[in-house]
Amino acid sequence: MGYVGLPTALGLHANGISVLGIDHDPHRLEAIRNQNVDLIGPDRERLATALGESGFELTTDVARLAEADAVMVCVPTPVDSRLLPDLGPLSDACDKLVRYARAGQTFILTSTSFIGTTATMLVGPLTDRGLTVGSDVFVASSPERIDPGNVRHTQQETPRVLGGVTPRCTDMAARVIEALSPSAHRVGSPEVAEMTKLYENTFRAVNIALANEFADICADLTLDPMEVIDAASTKPYGFMPFHPGPGVGGHCIPCDPHYLLWQLSETRTGAPLVRQAMNAIAERPRRVVERVQGVLSDNGKGMAGSRILVVGVSYKPGVRDVRSSPALEIIELLTRRGAKVGYYDPLIQRVALADGTVLESIVEPAGSDWDAALLHTVQPDHDYAWVHQCPMTVDATYRFSPSPAPC
């Protein structure tokens, strides 16, 4: 019942389907009941409605999986500190699903993972239990397409890709997916659906890495990268704008391509472009810190002892989410180089760094209290006029107006 599971449950319930939301964390379920969760406006309204109606139930009792006609697996698929897939949550969820599976159920895997996940974690174990996929139970992959905080592309307006193990599996899963999305684009297998999601996010990763590289090139040539991107965007074909930034965070781009690279390493299949893009993305926070150090140096100051305010720490504007946020690594790197670092984010009260340090957001920031401000995430509908009081600013968003020194 996280950033995918909760909106999915709300979308189904809004279409008249009874929903049982299962999560192993009772604190998460309590936060949902208290409506203390990060949702876009329409989903927040759906939650308020669902909590007051029947047919929307929350539980930690995984044995109740057996009650469902259809089960959607919506668990995180992160990477570990070595950028290798952490399959623990997904493996655990699938193990429990198989344990309580019964004839007649439809199982849909929505979590992003390696090619063959559906076959390995669901089809094989269900078969070993004596259930025939395609007649006793129905299994499909339909990777989520949810962009947290984005009200322009909601789940209800975004088509989904769907691949079943058999045509009957696809038909059964489509009954669920089409209650959530305007259409289900059917493909020939779960593997095609799995690869589609990896391709979507790898495409974004490669283009973001390219946008960051062009921003660095523009800086060397004293050009405004955003002006260049805006100009290129006037071409009505063959170009899609991607924008530079301080790095990539969240649940998809920093993780998903590594599932593909991990799998390809086993088959010794080369993917040099993807690998280089992911290396560049991983290095971006360090590049930002080097830019801050350069700005300080240009103004006669060293990093050691300088007071630096990181403005915004969520991984994208408008969300209360710091998963894989570049801001956390940037803060750690600045601190290691001797800077005295604070942060301001009206949506994030406190953050925990990798070394266990806990920082709290500055409540009422004043630009004059700091030697430099690093603009990382500018939250919508908040006043940032005070930033211009800072003696030095570095804009890693490339969108702050009027623009200070670009990153």
CSV table of all heavy atoms in Angstrom, one decimal, residues 277-326:
chain,number,residue,atom,x,y,z
A,277,ALA,N,25.4,5.8,-19.2
A,277,ALA,CA,24.4,6.8,-18.7
A,277,ALA,C,24.2,6.6,-17.2
A,277,ALA,O,24.1,7.6,-16.5
A,277,ALA,CB,23.1,6.6,-19.5
A,278,MET,N,24.1,5.4,-16.7
A,278,MET,CA,23.9,5.2,-15.3
A,278,MET,C,25.1,5.6,-14.5
A,278,MET,O,24.9,6.1,-13.4
A,278,MET,CB,23.5,3.7,-15.0
A,278,MET,CG,22.2,3.3,-15.7
A,278,MET,SD,20.8,4.4,-15.3
A,278,MET,CE,20.6,4.2,-13.6
A,279,ASN,N,26.3,5.4,-15.0
A,279,ASN,CA,27.5,5.9,-14.3
A,279,ASN,C,27.4,7.5,-14.3
A,279,ASN,O,27.8,8.0,-13.2
A,279,ASN,CB,28.7,5.5,-15.1
A,279,ASN,CG,29.0,4.0,-14.9
A,279,ASN,OD1,28.5,3.4,-14.0
A,279,ASN,ND2,29.8,3.5,-15.8
A,280,ALA,N,27.0,8.1,-15.3
A,280,ALA,CA,26.9,9.6,-15.3
A,280,ALA,C,25.9,10.1,-14.3
A,280,ALA,O,26.1,11.1,-13.6
A,280,ALA,CB,26.6,10.1,-16.7
A,281,ILE,N,24.8,9.4,-14.3
A,281,ILE,CA,23.7,9.8,-13.3
A,281,ILE,C,24.3,9.6,-11.9
A,281,ILE,O,24.0,10.5,-11.0
A,281,ILE,CB,22.5,8.9,-13.5
A,281,ILE,CG1,21.7,9.4,-14.8
A,281,ILE,CG2,21.6,8.9,-12.3
A,281,ILE,CD1,20.5,8.6,-15.2
A,282,ALA,N,25.0,8.5,-11.6
A,282,ALA,CA,25.5,8.3,-10.3
A,282,ALA,C,26.5,9.3,-9.9
A,282,ALA,O,26.7,9.7,-8.7
A,282,ALA,CB,26.2,6.9,-10.2
A,283,GLU,N,27.2,9.9,-10.9
A,283,GLU,CA,28.3,10.9,-10.6
A,283,GLU,C,27.7,12.3,-10.5
A,283,GLU,O,28.4,13.2,-10.1
A,283,GLU,CB,29.3,10.8,-11.7
A,283,GLU,CG,30.3,9.7,-11.6
A,283,GLU,CD,31.1,9.8,-10.3
A,283,GLU,OE1,31.7,10.9,-10.0
A,283,GLU,OE2,31.2,8.8,-9.6
A,284,ARG,N,26.5,12.5,-10.9
A,284,ARG,CA,25.9,13.9,-10.9
A,284,ARG,C,26.0,14.6,-9.6
A,284,ARG,O,26.4,15.8,-9.6
A,284,ARG,CB,24.5,13.8,-11.5
A,284,ARG,CG,23.9,15.2,-11.8
A,284,ARG,CD,24.7,15.9,-12.9
A,284,ARG,NE,24.2,17.2,-13.3
A,284,ARG,CZ,24.8,18.0,-14.1
A,284,ARG,NH1,25.9,17.7,-14.7
A,284,ARG,NH2,24.3,19.2,-14.4
A,285,PRO,N,25.6,14.0,-8.5
A,285,PRO,CA,25.8,14.8,-7.2
A,285,PRO,C,27.2,15.3,-7.0
A,285,PRO,O,27.3,16.4,-6.5
A,285,PRO,CB,25.3,13.8,-6.2
A,285,PRO,CG,24.4,12.9,-6.9
A,285,PRO,CD,25.0,12.7,-8.3
A,286,ARG,N,28.2,14.5,-7.3
A,286,ARG,CA,29.5,14.9,-7.1
A,286,ARG,C,29.9,16.1,-8.0
A,286,ARG,O,30.6,17.0,-7.6
A,286,ARG,CB,30.5,13.8,-7.4
A,286,ARG,CG,31.9,14.0,-7.0
A,286,ARG,CD,32.8,12.8,-7.2
A,286,ARG,NE,32.3,11.7,-6.5
A,286,ARG,CZ,32.6,11.4,-5.2
A,286,ARG,NH1,33.4,12.2,-4.6
A,286,ARG,NH2,32.1,10.4,-4.6
A,287,ARG,N,29.3,16.1,-9.2
A,287,ARG,CA,29.5,17.2,-10.1
A,287,ARG,C,28.9,18.5,-9.6
A,287,ARG,O,29.5,19.6,-9.7
A,287,ARG,CB,28.9,16.8,-11.5
A,287,ARG,CG,28.9,18.0,-12.5
A,287,ARG,CD,30.2,18.4,-13.0
A,287,ARG,NE,30.2,19.5,-13.9
A,287,ARG,CZ,30.1,20.8,-13.6
A,287,ARG,NH1,30.1,21.1,-12.3
A,287,ARG,NH2,30.0,21.7,-14.5
A,288,VAL,N,27.8,18.4,-8.9
A,288,VAL,CA,27.1,19.5,-8.3
A,288,VAL,C,27.9,20.1,-7.2
A,288,VAL,O,28.1,21.3,-7.1
A,288,VAL,CB,25.7,19.1,-7.8
A,288,VAL,CG1,25.1,20.3,-7.0
A,288,VAL,CG2,24.8,18.8,-9.0
A,289,VAL,N,28.5,19.2,-6.4
A,289,VAL,CA,29.3,19.7,-5.3
A,289,VAL,C,30.6,20.4,-5.8
A,289,VAL,O,31.0,21.4,-5.3
A,289,VAL,CB,29.7,18.5,-4.4
A,289,VAL,CG1,30.8,18.9,-3.4
A,289,VAL,CG2,28.5,18.0,-3.7
A,290,GLU,N,31.1,19.9,-6.9
A,290,GLU,CA,32.3,20.5,-7.5
A,290,GLU,C,32.0,21.9,-8.0
A,290,GLU,O,32.8,22.8,-7.9
A,290,GLU,CB,32.9,19.6,-8.6
A,290,GLU,CG,33.5,18.4,-8.1
A,290,GLU,CD,33.9,17.4,-9.2
A,290,GLU,OE1,33.5,17.7,-10.4
A,290,GLU,OE2,34.5,16.4,-8.9
A,291,ARG,N,30.7,22.1,-8.5
A,291,ARG,CA,30.3,23.4,-9.0
A,291,ARG,C,30.1,24.3,-7.8
A,291,ARG,O,30.5,25.5,-7.9
A,291,ARG,CB,29.0,23.2,-9.7
A,291,ARG,CG,28.3,24.5,-10.2
A,291,ARG,CD,29.3,25.3,-11.1
A,291,ARG,NE,28.6,26.6,-11.5
A,291,ARG,CZ,29.2,27.7,-11.8
A,291,ARG,NH1,30.5,27.7,-11.8
A,291,ARG,NH2,28.6,28.7,-12.2
A,292,VAL,N,29.6,23.9,-6.7
A,292,VAL,CA,29.5,24.7,-5.5
A,292,VAL,C,30.9,25.1,-5.0
A,292,VAL,O,31.1,26.3,-4.7
A,292,VAL,CB,28.8,24.0,-4.4
A,292,VAL,CG1,28.8,24.8,-3.1
A,292,VAL,CG2,27.3,23.7,-4.8
A,293,GLN,N,31.8,24.2,-5.0
A,293,GLN,CA,33.2,24.5,-4.6
A,293,GLN,C,33.8,25.6,-5.5
A,293,GLN,O,34.5,26.5,-5.1
A,293,GLN,CB,34.0,23.3,-4.6
A,293,GLN,CG,35.4,23.5,-4.0
A,293,GLN,CD,36.0,22.2,-3.5
A,293,GLN,OE1,35.4,21.1,-3.6
A,293,GLN,NE2,37.2,22.3,-2.9
A,294,GLY,N,33.5,25.4,-6.8
A,294,GLY,CA,34.0,26.4,-7.8
A,294,GLY,C,33.5,27.8,-7.6
A,294,GLY,O,34.2,28.8,-7.7
A,295,VAL,N,32.2,27.9,-7.3
A,295,VAL,CA,31.6,29.2,-7.1
A,295,VAL,C,32.2,29.8,-5.8
A,295,VAL,O,32.4,31.0,-5.8
A,295,VAL,CB,30.0,29.1,-7.0
A,295,VAL,CG1,29.4,30.4,-6.5
A,295,VAL,CG2,29.5,28.7,-8.3
A,296,LEU,N,32.3,29.0,-4.8
A,296,LEU,CA,32.9,29.6,-3.5
A,296,LEU,C,34.3,30.1,-3.8
A,296,LEU,O,34.7,31.2,-3.4
A,296,LEU,CB,33.0,28.5,-2.5
A,296,LEU,CG,31.7,28.1,-1.8
A,296,LEU,CD1,31.8,26.8,-1.0
A,296,LEU,CD2,31.1,29.2,-1.0
A,297,SER,N,35.1,29.3,-4.6
A,297,SER,CA,36.5,29.6,-4.9
A,297,SER,C,36.5,30.9,-5.7
A,297,SER,O,37.4,31.8,-5.5
A,297,SER,CB,37.2,28.5,-5.6
A,297,SER,OG,38.5,28.8,-6.0
A,298,ASP,N,35.6,31.1,-6.7
A,298,ASP,CA,35.6,32.3,-7.5
A,298,ASP,C,35.3,33.5,-6.6
A,298,ASP,O,35.7,34.6,-7.1
A,298,ASP,CB,34.5,32.2,-8.6
A,298,ASP,CG,34.9,31.1,-9.6
A,298,ASP,OD1,36.1,30.7,-9.7
A,298,ASP,OD2,34.0,30.7,-10.4
A,299,ASN,N,34.7,33.3,-5.5
A,299,ASN,CA,34.4,34.4,-4.6
A,299,ASN,C,35.3,34.5,-3.4
A,299,ASN,O,35.0,35.1,-2.4
A,299,ASN,CB,32.9,34.3,-4.1
A,299,ASN,CG,32.0,34.7,-5.3
A,299,ASN,OD1,31.6,35.9,-5.4
A,299,ASN,ND2,31.5,33.7,-6.0
A,300,GLY,N,36.5,33.8,-3.5
A,300,GLY,CA,37.5,33.9,-2.5
A,300,GLY,C,37.2,33.2,-1.2
A,300,GLY,O,37.8,33.5,-0.2
A,301,LYS,N,36.4,32.1,-1.3
A,301,LYS,CA,36.1,31.3,-0.1
A,301,LYS,C,36.4,29.8,-0.4
A,301,LYS,O,36.3,29.4,-1.5
A,301,LYS,CB,34.7,31.4,0.3
A,301,LYS,CG,34.3,32.8,0.9
A,301,LYS,CD,32.9,32.8,1.5
A,301,LYS,CE,32.8,32.0,2.7
A,301,LYS,NZ,33.5,32.5,3.9
A,302,GLY,N,36.8,29.1,0.7
A,302,GLY,CA,37.0,27.7,0.6
A,302,GLY,C,35.8,27.0,1.1
A,302,GLY,O,34.9,27.5,1.7
A,303,MET,N,35.7,25.7,0.8
A,303,MET,CA,34.6,24.9,1.2
A,303,MET,C,34.6,24.7,2.7
A,303,MET,O,33.5,24.8,3.4
A,303,MET,CB,34.6,23.5,0.5
A,303,MET,CG,33.5,22.6,0.9
A,303,MET,SD,31.9,23.0,0.1
A,303,MET,CE,32.2,22.3,-1.5
A,304,ALA,N,35.8,24.5,3.3
A,304,ALA,CA,35.9,24.2,4.8
A,304,ALA,C,35.4,25.4,5.5
A,304,ALA,O,35.8,26.6,5.3
A,304,ALA,CB,37.3,23.9,5.2
A,305,GLY,N,34.4,25.2,6.4
A,305,GLY,CA,33.9,26.3,7.2
A,305,GLY,C,32.8,27.1,6.6
A,305,GLY,O,32.1,27.9,7.3
A,306,SER,N,32.5,26.9,5.3
A,306,SER,CA,31.5,27.7,4.6
A,306,SER,C,30.1,27.2,5.0
A,306,SER,O,29.9,26.0,5.2
A,306,SER,CB,31.6,27.6,3.1
A,306,SER,OG,32.8,28.3,2.7
A,307,ARG,N,29.2,28.1,5.2
A,307,ARG,CA,27.8,27.8,5.6
A,307,ARG,C,27.0,27.6,4.3
A,307,ARG,O,26.8,28.6,3.5
A,307,ARG,CB,27.2,28.8,6.5
A,307,ARG,CG,27.9,29.0,7.8
A,307,ARG,CD,27.6,30.3,8.5
A,307,ARG,NE,27.9,31.4,7.6
A,307,ARG,CZ,27.5,32.7,7.8
A,307,ARG,NH1,26.6,33.0,8.7
A,307,ARG,NH2,27.9,33.7,7.0
A,308,ILE,N,26.5,26.4,4.0
A,308,ILE,CA,25.8,26.2,2.8
A,308,ILE,C,24.4,25.7,3.1
A,308,ILE,O,24.2,24.7,3.8
A,308,ILE,CB,26.6,25.2,1.9
A,308,ILE,CG1,27.9,25.7,1.6
A,308,ILE,CG2,25.8,24.8,0.6
A,308,ILE,CD1,28.8,24.7,0.8
A,309,LEU,N,23.4,26.3,2.4
A,309,LEU,CA,22.0,25.9,2.6
A,309,LEU,C,21.6,25.1,1.3
A,309,LEU,O,21.6,25.7,0.2
A,309,LEU,CB,21.1,27.1,2.8
A,309,LEU,CG,19.6,26.8,3.0
A,309,LEU,CD1,19.4,26.0,4.3
A,309,LEU,CD2,18.8,28.0,3.0
A,310,VAL,N,21.1,23.9,1.5
A,310,VAL,CA,20.6,23.1,0.4
A,310,VAL,C,19.1,23.4,0.4
A,310,VAL,O,18.4,23.1,1.4
A,310,VAL,CB,20.9,21.6,0.5
A,310,VAL,CG1,20.1,20.8,-0.6
A,310,VAL,CG2,22.4,21.4,0.5
A,311,VAL,N,18.6,23.9,-0.7
A,311,VAL,CA,17.2,24.3,-0.8
A,311,VAL,C,16.4,23.2,-1.5
A,311,VAL,O,16.5,23.0,-2.7
A,311,VAL,CB,17.0,25.7,-1.6
A,311,VAL,CG1,15.6,26.1,-1.7
A,311,VAL,CG2,17.9,26.8,-0.9
A,312,GLY,N,15.6,22.5,-0.7
A,312,GLY,CA,14.8,21.4,-1.2
A,312,GLY,C,15.6,20.1,-1.2
A,312,GLY,O,16.7,20.0,-1.7
A,313,VAL,N,15.0,19.1,-0.6
A,313,VAL,CA,15.6,17.7,-0.5
A,313,VAL,C,14.8,16.6,-1.1
A,313,VAL,O,15.3,15.5,-1.2
A,313,VAL,CB,16.1,17.4,0.9
A,313,VAL,CG1,17.1,18.4,1.4
A,313,VAL,CG2,14.9,17.4,1.8
A,314,SER,N,13.5,16.8,-1.4
A,314,SER,CA,12.7,15.8,-2.0
A,314,SER,C,13.3,15.5,-3.4
A,314,SER,O,13.9,16.4,-4.0
A,314,SER,CB,11.2,16.1,-2.1
A,314,SER,OG,11.0,17.2,-2.9
A,315,TYR,N,13.0,14.3,-4.0
A,315,TYR,CA,13.7,14.0,-5.2
A,315,TYR,C,13.0,14.7,-6.4
A,315,TYR,O,13.6,14.8,-7.5
A,315,TYR,CB,13.6,12.4,-5.4
A,315,TYR,CG,12.4,11.9,-6.0
A,315,TYR,CD1,12.2,11.8,-7.4
A,315,TYR,CD2,11.4,11.4,-5.1
A,315,TYR,CE1,11.0,11.2,-7.9
A,315,TYR,CE2,10.2,10.8,-5.7
A,315,TYR,CZ,10.0,10.7,-7.0
A,315,TYR,OH,8.9,10.2,-7.5
A,316,LYS,N,11.8,15.3,-6.2
A,316,LYS,CA,11.2,16.0,-7.3
A,316,LYS,C,10.2,17.0,-6.6
A,316,LYS,O,9.8,16.8,-5.5
A,316,LYS,CB,10.4,15.1,-8.3
A,316,LYS,CG,9.3,14.4,-7.7
A,316,LYS,CD,8.6,13.5,-8.7
A,316,LYS,CE,7.8,14.2,-9.7
A,316,LYS,NZ,7.0,13.3,-10.5
A,317,PRO,N,9.9,18.1,-7.3
A,317,PRO,CA,8.9,19.1,-6.7
A,317,PRO,C,7.6,18.5,-6.5
A,317,PRO,O,7.1,17.6,-7.2
A,317,PRO,CB,8.9,20.2,-7.8
A,317,PRO,CG,10.1,20.0,-8.6
A,317,PRO,CD,10.4,18.6,-8.6
A,318,GLY,N,7.0,18.9,-5.3
A,318,GLY,CA,5.6,18.5,-5.1
A,318,GLY,C,5.4,17.2,-4.4
A,318,GLY,O,4.2,16.8,-4.2
A,319,VAL,N,6.5,16.5,-4.0
A,319,VAL,CA,6.3,15.2,-3.3
A,319,VAL,C,7.1,15.2,-2.0
A,319,VAL,O,8.1,15.9,-1.8
A,319,VAL,CB,6.7,14.0,-4.1
A,319,VAL,CG1,5.9,13.9,-5.4
A,319,VAL,CG2,8.2,14.1,-4.4
A,320,ARG,N,6.5,14.5,-1.0
A,320,ARG,CA,7.2,14.3,0.3
A,320,ARG,C,8.0,13.0,0.3
A,320,ARG,O,7.7,12.1,1.1
A,320,ARG,CB,6.2,14.3,1.4
A,320,ARG,CG,5.4,15.6,1.6
A,320,ARG,CD,4.4,15.5,2.7
A,320,ARG,NE,3.8,16.8,3.0
A,320,ARG,CZ,2.7,17.3,2.4
A,320,ARG,NH1,2.1,16.5,1.5
A,320,ARG,NH2,2.2,18.4,2.7
A,321,ASP,N,8.9,12.9,-0.6
A,321,ASP,CA,9.7,11.7,-0.8
A,321,ASP,C,11.1,12.0,-1.1
A,321,ASP,O,11.5,12.7,-2.0
A,321,ASP,CB,9.0,11.0,-2.1
A,321,ASP,CG,9.5,9.5,-2.2
A,321,ASP,OD1,10.5,9.1,-1.6
A,321,ASP,OD2,8.8,8.8,-2.9
A,322,VAL,N,12.0,11.3,-0.3
A,322,VAL,CA,13.4,11.5,-0.4
A,322,VAL,C,14.2,10.3,-0.9
A,322,VAL,O,15.4,10.2,-0.8
A,322,VAL,CB,14.1,12.1,0.9
A,322,VAL,CG1,13.5,13.4,1.2
A,322,VAL,CG2,13.9,11.1,2.0
A,323,ARG,N,13.4,9.3,-1.3
A,323,ARG,CA,14.1,8.0,-1.8
A,323,ARG,C,15.0,8.3,-2.9
A,323,ARG,O,14.7,8.9,-3.9
A,323,ARG,CB,13.0,7.0,-2.2
A,323,ARG,CG,12.3,6.3,-1.1
A,323,ARG,CD,11.2,5.4,-1.6
A,323,ARG,NE,10.2,6.1,-2.4
A,323,ARG,CZ,9.3,5.6,-3.1
A,323,ARG,NH1,9.2,4.2,-3.2
A,323,ARG,NH2,8.4,6.3,-3.7
A,324,SER,N,16.3,7.9,-2.7
A,324,SER,CA,17.4,8.1,-3.7
A,324,SER,C,17.5,9.5,-4.1
A,324,SER,O,18.1,9.8,-5.1
A,324,SER,CB,17.1,7.2,-4.9
A,324,SER,OG,17.0,5.9,-4.6
A,325,SER,N,17.1,10.5,-3.3
A,325,SER,CA,17.2,11.9,-3.6
A,325,SER,C,18.7,12.3,-3.7
A,325,SER,O,19.5,12.0,-2.8
A,325,SER,CB,16.5,12.8,-2.6
A,325,SER,OG,16.8,14.2,-2.9
A,326,PRO,N,19.1,12.9,-4.8
A,326,PRO,CA,20.5,13.4,-4.9
A,326,PRO,C,20.9,14.3,-3.7
A,326,PRO,O,22.1,14.4,-3.4
A,326,PRO,CB,20.6,14.1,-6.2
A,326,PRO,CG,19.4,13.6,-7.0
A,326,PRO,CD,18.4,13.2,-6.0
